[in-house]
Amino acid sequence: MIPVHNKETEGKVRFTFLPFDALAVVAQVLKEGAEQYGKDNWRNCTDPEKYIDAAFRHLVSLSQGETHDTKSGLLHAAHLAANALFLVVL
């Protein structure tokens, strides 16, 4: 196994730390969003509160035991993650 810190990896982004199975589900949310609103339409948002509110709606649904969004059929957690990623880059 490669150690976390060595001169080959020091200061470099370690994409292998990402949970790719989870990212695939989030990518499905983005695909559905692109089909409904247009590719990369989320980038046009000028009010980050839109994504904060959406994230909280999915979080509340999760906290109430609802696993899947009724509109998309996809996991609330994946929608929550997508909104969080939008907020990271806005």
Side-chain angles (χ1 to χ4, degrees):
M1 180 175 323
I2 299 173
V4 173
H5 296 287
N6 65 40
K7 70 181 193 175
E8 286 86 28
T9 61
E10 193 66 39
K12 296 179 182 173
V13 176
R14 299 285 307 273
F15 289 102
T16 55
F17 288 158
L18 292 169
F20 286 100
D21 292 346
L23 292 176
V25 179
V26 173
Q28 184 64 34
V29 168
L30 298 179
K31 176 183 172 278
E32 298 287 326
E35 289 171 358
Q36 186 171 359
Y37 303 108
K39 185 179 178 222
D40 293 332
N41 186 58
W42 62 270
R43 293 181 186 271
N44 298 329
C45 180
T46 58
D47 184 6
E49 285 186 9
K50 173 182 176 182
Y51 296 117
I52 294 169
D53 289 339
F56 270 102
R57 285 192 298 273
H58 290 290
L59 182 60
V60 167
S61 293
L62 276 170
S63 73
Q64 294 173 341
E66 185 179 316
T67 59
H68 289 74
D69 180 73
T70 55
K71 186 176 179 183
S72 70
L74 300 171
L75 291 170
H76 280 297
H79 283 278
L80 175 61
N83 283 288
L85 288 170
F86 298 157
L87 291 166
V88 169
V89 296
L90 285 179

